[in-house]
Amino acid sequence: IVEPSSTTYVNALGCSDAMSGLLIGALPWAMLISMIVYSYWTNYSFRKHILISGVLLITGNILYALAYSYKSIYMALAGRFITGLGGTKVINRRYVADTTPLAIRTAVNAAFGMALTCGVALGPATAVRLNQIDFEVEVPYIGVLYFNGMTCPGFLMAT
């Protein structure tokens, strides 16, 4: 959902097109780091890491969306990195494998994979629709919040 607007976003933040590669790449690099931590952590608990993952995902996406208001590429990069730290696709598969009976484990994993694929497929289509949005709201103590094709993906993913 972020990739279609990433080049426009980094340009609006005052950077060159090449920075969009870093913006997109920050998430998988952070996921690589977090997978090691989550893999160890899930030997003891699933609930805590899923809750912390949710908080990181919300925080990262809000930072990404607010970067436009503050004209900060560093805020956008930090938001994508924090979102990556919250990404737990592999750990969710482990949770499914550990909690479902053996008789239906394959079907449940297939359903999980199908849902994940649908989300990946619908992301760019959603970004096209979000690109049609363009308005701003004055929020006390925060300033102006911009809702447009560059910020709406972050706000949508945070909700």
Side-chain angles (χ1 to χ4, degrees):
I1 196 168
V2 168
E3 285 81 1
S5 63
S6 63
T7 304
T8 307
Y9 200 16
V10 297
N11 291 154
L13 296 177
C15 296
S16 68
D17 293 354
M19 185 61 81
S20 68
L22 283 176
L23 192 66
I24 294 169
L27 186 135
W29 277 106
M31 284 180 77
L32 183 67
I33 294 166
S34 69
M35 284 301 142
I36 297 166
V37 175
Y38 287 142
S39 293
Y40 176 75
W41 196 5
T42 55
N43 289 329
Y44 305 101
S45 167
F46 280 108
R47 182 179 177 165
K48 288 180 184 177
H49 99 274
I50 289 174
L51 292 174
I52 289 175
S53 169
V55 169
L56 288 171
L57 288 168
I58 292 168
T59 303
N61 283 309
I62 288 173
L63 274 176
Y64 175 79
L66 289 177
Y68 186 79
S69 296
Y70 293 97
K71 301 294 184 214
S72 171
I73 188 65
Y74 299 111
M75 185 182 268
L77 287 168
R80 292 290 289 165
F81 192 82
I82 292 169
T83 300
L85 291 177
T88 59
K89 285 188 267 188
V90 173
I91 304 308
N92 291 337
R93 286 189 185 272
R94 180 175 176 187
Y95 176 76
V96 168
D98 287 355
T99 58
T100 56
L102 186 59
I104 62 168
R105 189 171 299 159
T106 301
V108 171
N109 264 322
F112 180 78
M114 189 170 57
L116 187 65
T117 303
C118 285
V120 170
L122 290 174
T126 304
V128 169
R129 298 297 293 170
L130 292 175
N131 199 37
Q132 298 171 351
I133 297 171
D134 190 16
F135 66 94
E136 55 190 65
V137 177
E138 179 75 32
V139 179
Y141 304 110
I142 294 176
V144 178
L145 290 182
Y146 296 93
F147 294 88
N148 54 37
M150 297 174 283
T151 62
C152 281
F155 286 127
L156 177 66
M157 290 186 299
T159 54

